[in-house]
Amino acid sequence: MSTNQPLNQSFMVRRAAVLGAGVMGAQIAAHLVNANVEALLFELPAKEGDPNGNVQKAIENLKKLEPSPLAVTRKAAMIQAANYEQHLDRLKDCDLVIEAISERMDWKADLYRKVAPHLGENSIFASNTSGLSINQLAAAFPENLRHRFCGVHFFNPPRYMHLVELIACRETNPAILDDLEKFLVTTLGKGVIRAKDTPNFIANRVGVFSLLATIHHAQQFELGFDVVDALTGPLIGRPKSATLRTADVVGLDTFAHVVKTMADTLPEDPWHKYYAIPAWLKALIEQGALGQKSKRGVYQKVGRDIQVLDVASGAYRVAAGAADPSVVEILKNKDVAARFAALHASPHPHAQFLWAIFRDTFQYCAVHLAAIADNARDLDLAIRWGFGWNQGPFEIWQGAGWATVAQWIADDIKAGKTMTGTALPAWVAESGRAGVHSPQGSYAPASNTTMARSTLPVYRRQLFPDRLLGEQAQYGTTIFETGGVRCWHTGDDIAIVSFKSKMHAIGDDVLDGVLQAIEEAERNYAALVVWQTEPPFSVGANLKKTTASGDGPRAPPTAASRLFRQFKKAAESAILKAARSLNVADQLMAGKLAEVERLVEQFQFTTGQLKYSMVPTVAAVDGLALGGGCEFVMHCDRAVVTLESYIGLVEVGVGLLPAGGGCKEFALRAAADAKGGDAFPFLRRYFEAVAMAQVGRSAEHAREIGYLRATDRIVMNRFELLSIAKVEARAMAEAGYRPPLKARDIPVLGRSAAATIKAFIANMLEGKFISEHDFLIAGKIADVMCGGDVEAGSLVDEQWLLDLERHHFMELLATEKTQARIEQMLKTGKPLRN
C-alpha cells in the first residue's frame, strides 16, 4: 500500500541487530549477511565459559542446517556475536533492530525495557512475530519511541521464503514503513505485504485455517493423511509437502501455537470452534514428536520406508495412499471452470473432499477479507509467497467462475454443508462481478473499489512484478519470434531474447533464435539481454536431440547461422565419407551422431557469438542454469544473477562432458588466474567442478566454484533482475563496448598434468568411489582442460580446445554406457550409475 510520505532516499541499513539467537533469529541474521548487511546477533550470556557461547553455538548450527540458511558457509563468520550484558551499547550504531525472541508477550516486554535506552536516534525497531498483536507489543515499548516501532514477520526459512508481512502500530510513522519496505524488497529480496494488526495477520490466518479445514474434512471423509497429502500437493497447485508434511516441516508445536493464538484472540469468529488442537496432535507434541526437527511427527522414516500416523489406531503404517485415478483425470483438465464443475458434481469422496476444502477456504477469505487485508491482492500474494500455492484463494475462485462458484457456496451454506452458516458478504454477489482482480487492480472492501498496486519508488525496478490472474503480462514489443525464441524490447535500445522451450532447454531452434537475436542486436540495438519470463534460466541442452533427430519447422537462416553452416560443411563431409565404409546399422548410427555433432558445433558457435558479439551480452539468471545453460552464462559478457540461482556443468550425470565451451572457458580462466605462474591448482579446482558435476547452492557459491566471475552481479529480488541486467548492459554500451580479443596463445598444461589428474582419479576407481565409466569420462575432461596430447606450456587457441571438447563428447556419446545414462535420464529423470 502506498503512502503520501516521500521515500527517505538517505535511509540506509549499514548495520542491523537481531535480538534472539533461536531458529528464526539466527536465520534472519544469516540472511542479513547473505545480503552483505553487517549483522549483530544477540542472546542471553552463557552461564559458563565464553559469555557469547550461546550465540556462537547458534552460528555454528547454521552451517549444519539443510537447506542452508547461508549463501556460502563462510558467511557465518560475518555474523557478530553479542550478549545483553556486555554489548547493548553497540545497538546505538544499528539502523535496524529486529526482535526475534520466543512468542511470549511478557518476555518481549522485558526485553524492550532493557534495550530501549540503547537504541540509536533514528533506528527502526521491529518485532518479528508470527501473530502477536503489534499494538499490544507497542504498549510495552517506550511511548516516545513508538513512532519507530512496527512488526515484521519473516516466514521460515527466511532465506528462501519470499513473503515478509509488515505491520504498523497506531503510532508508527508511515515513512519508516516505506523505508523498511524498500530495504526488505531490494536488499533482502522479499515480497512485502502490508498486513493489518489482526491475530496471525494475513498468511498464517488463512493458511492455518486452510490446514485446519483440510484436517476437519479428512476426518469427515475418513481419509488417511497420506491420501490427503496426495490430493493436496502439486495436483491442486500446492507444494510437494502438501498439508500434513507442511505441518511437519513447520513444526507441530509451532502449528499448535498459531492455532492457540487464533483460539485465544478470536472468540467471536464464526469458525472459532474449529480453532482447536486435535487430540492426535496433542499426543504427538507430548511425545516430543514435533515433525521434521525431531525426525518424527505426522510422518517418520523407518529404514527406507516413509510411515504415516494412522489416527484411528494411533500407530504408524507405511505411507502408500494415492489420489483416485478418476479424480486425477479431473485435475488434469486445464480448463479451471470445467475442472471445478467436475469436482463439484463428482460423487467420489476424493472429489467431494477437494471441493469442501476449496469451498470453505473461499468462504473464509470472503468473510474475513475486510478485517485482515487492505485488498484481495494482498491476501492472494500472501498465500502464494508464504505457503507456496501457485495461485491464491481468490485467484482460484475467479478462474473457476466467480458467480457460479459463489452460488455453489451459497447453496452449501443453506444446506448446512459448510463449516459455518455465515453468509457470504454482499460484495461477492454484486451485479456483474466476475472476480476481484483486473488489470486496474484488486478489490478493496473498505472502499468497495479497485486498489492499484503500490507506487513506492522501489517498485519502479520491477518491470514485470509477480502478476495475478486478471493482470495481463505485456512483455514489451516483439522484434521477431520463432518456434524457439522471442526477441523483444521494452521501448528502448536494449534487445531481450527469451526461450520458448520447456524448462528453456536448448535445442537447434533455440540456438538459431539466439544467433538471429545477436545479429539483430548488432544491427539495431545497443545490447542484448538473455532473460526468461519465468524461471528457470535453462536446464541445458535438449537431451532428446542426442537420441533422435529434431522435427518441426526451423527458423529461417540468418547471416550468422549461414556462416556457421559453411564453417561445419567440411566436417560433415568427412564424417559421411567414413560412414560409407561401415555396415548399414553403423551407417544409421553414424548419421545420428553426425546430426548430434552438427548440434554441438552449432552450440559452440552460438556461445562464441555471445562472447564475441559487437554489442554487450548479459545473461539475466534466475533459478536453474545447468549444462548448456551454464555455458551460456559463462560466455556472456556479464551475468546478473539472483541469489537463489543454482548454476553448474552437470553433463557427467548423463555420461558426457561440457562441449558448448564450458571446458574451454575453465581452461582460459585457469590460465588467467595463474597470471603467468603455476596454473595447475586453479585448473584442478575447475576440473573437480566439472568432473563432480558441482552445482552452486546459491549464486555466491557459484562464484566460489568459478561459474560466475568477480564482475558478475548478484541481486536479491528476482523481480528486479531484468531492470538491473538492462542497467548493466547499457553501462557497457555507453562505455564504448568492444568484445574481447580472441585468445590465440593460451598456455595449457598438457599430457603431464592430465596424467597427474588421472592418477588421482585412478585412486578413486581403485577405492570403488567411482565406476570405470566415470573414470573414462573424468579422463576425457582432464584431456580437454589440459589441452590434449601436447607438452606442458604449449600455446593453443580457443578453437583447439573446442575441437577437443567436441571430439571427446562424441566419443562418449558413442558408448553404450553413456547412451544408457541418457536413456535413463529421459525416462525417469534420475541419473544412472554404470
Side-chain angles (χ1 to χ4, degrees), residues 23 116 137 178 187 327 330 339 366 502 556 604 615 620 666 712 719 792:
V23 173
L137 289 171
D178 293 350
T187 306
V327 176
I330 289 173
R339 186 162 73 234
K502 184 178 181 180
Q604 291 179 338
V615 295
F666 268 159
D712 293 329
F719 297 107

Side-chain angles (χ1 to χ4, degrees), residues 815-825 832 834:
T815 66
E816 290 183 3
K817 288 188 175 180
T818 284
Q819 290 174 21
R821 289 190 180 191
I822 294 171
E823 194 77 16
Q824 169 92 349
M825 183 63 72
L832 172 67
N834 59 0

Side-chain angles (χ1 to χ4, degrees), residues 232-255:
T232 59
L235 277 177
I236 60 170
R238 299 184 189 177
K240 288 182 180 179
S241 57
T243 301
L244 282 308
R245 286 185 191 275
T246 295
D248 270 355
V249 171
V250 170
L252 298 184
D253 54 340
T254 302
F255 170 57

Side-chain angles (χ1 to χ4, degrees), residues 582-602:
L582 305 175
N583 61 37
V584 174
D586 287 338
Q587 286 183 42
L588 290 173
M589 178 56 72
K592 187 182 200 180
L593 292 176
E595 177 64 26
V596 174
E597 184 156 13
R598 287 194 291 272
L599 181 62
V600 175
E601 285 181 300
Q602 186 183 15

Side-chain angles (χ1 to χ4, degrees), residues 751-816:
R751 67 177 73 90
S752 59
T756 302
I757 293 173
K758 289 176 184 178
F760 168 72
I761 56 178
N763 290 333
M764 296 183 69
L765 177 63
E766 186 71 22
K768 301 188 184 304
F769 295 106
I770 62 173
S771 70
E772 289 187 2
H773 199 55
D774 293 328
F775 178 79
L776 175 67
I777 298 164
K780 289 185 177 295
I781 294 168
D783 285 337
V784 174
M785 295 179 72
C786 292
D789 188 17
V790 297
E791 295 291 335
S794 296
L795 300 180
V796 303
D797 61 12
E798 290 190 41
Q799 192 57 51
W800 173 273
L801 294 171
L802 289 171
D803 291 343
L804 280 173
E805 276 187 356
R806 190 175 64 257
H807 170 75
H808 287 295
F809 178 95
M810 296 307 301
E811 284 193 341
L812 287 170
L813 184 59
T815 66
E816 290 183 3

Side-chain angles (χ1 to χ4, degrees), residues 492-513:
D492 54 22
D493 59 351
I494 307 294
I496 303 160
V497 63
S498 304
F499 305 168
K500 296 167 62 177
S501 51
K502 184 178 181 180
M503 299 291 283
H504 305 131
I506 303 168
D508 49 6
D509 53 350
V510 170
L511 294 173
D512 280 342

Side-chain angles (χ1 to χ4, degrees), residues 546-559:
T546 66
T547 57
S549 59
D551 54 27
R554 294 287 299 275
T558 64

